Amino acid sequence: MADTAAPATPGPDARKLEILQHTLGLDEYGRRRIDRNHFVTGPGGIDHPHCMALVRAGLMTRAPGNPLTGGSDLFQATKDGRAYAAEHSPSPPRLTRSQRRYQEFLDADSGLSFREWLQADASTRRSLADPSTCEQPGRERCR
């Protein structure tokens, strides 16, 4: 007999984890995408009650709205909030060899097409992935 149950919707704790991950610039697996620590929402916003619950739990702090935030409250993750996000984020899925290679290409952000990147030798790929080499001659494609 086929399972006809409705798909599970994320519970309140799942939404709180998503808010902490977004606040800290993490992906859904807790890996850093960008360096940040802020979340802006105001009373009446869909995430405001979740953020207030995180403040009560000691996982976030709240600063009242100001002109810079458009009058909305500014929330920041605390040390405990960072630890919570790290502890409760799931492990990333296991990637195949091809998926890992493509992820390396994306991480390198070399300016090369995937085909060009594949044709480059391993030492060239490593140097393309190293941002400190962008100052070297011949690295016009670095941003």
Side-chain angles (χ1 to χ4, degrees):
M1 178 178 239
D3 183 3
T4 59
T9 56
D13 289 338
R15 184 62 191 139
K16 291 174 187 171
L17 177 60
E18 290 171 2
I19 289 171
L20 282 168
Q21 290 169 333
H22 179 76
T23 299
L24 295 167
L26 307 175
D27 69 7
E28 67 267 31
Y29 304 111
R31 299 176 297 197
R32 182 148 318 271
R33 291 182 313 189
I34 55 174
D35 191 23
R36 60 178 273 158
N37 186 3
H38 66 275
F39 192 97
V40 177
T41 184
I46 193 166
D47 292 322
H48 196 267
H50 296 294
C51 289
M52 292 304 292
L54 288 164
V55 169
R56 288 189 295 277
L59 301 176
M60 292 185 98
T61 60
R62 175 188 161 267
N66 60 59
L68 183 62
T69 63
S72 294
D73 295 336
L74 172 68
F75 295 89
Q76 292 184 299
T78 63
K79 182 178 176 184
D80 289 342
R82 288 186 180 108
Y84 181 92
E87 182 180 332
H88 291 87
S89 293
S91 298
R94 191 169 173 96
L95 301 177
T96 66
R97 181 174 173 238
S98 296
Q99 289 170 325
R100 284 193 308 270
R101 184 174 45 233
Y102 186 66
Q103 189 60 53
E104 289 169 11
F105 160 72
L106 293 175
D107 292 342
D109 195 16
S110 64
L112 299 176
S113 71
F114 186 51
R115 180 180 181 158
E116 291 169 328
W117 188 84
L118 285 174
Q119 291 171 339
D121 62 39
S123 65
T124 302
R125 286 185 196 169
R126 279 192 297 278
S127 71
L128 290 170
D130 182 2
S132 67
T133 63
C134 286
E135 289 79 37
Q136 296 176 3
R139 290 299 307 275
E140 302 81 29
R141 290 188 144 154
C142 287
R143 302 194 274 153

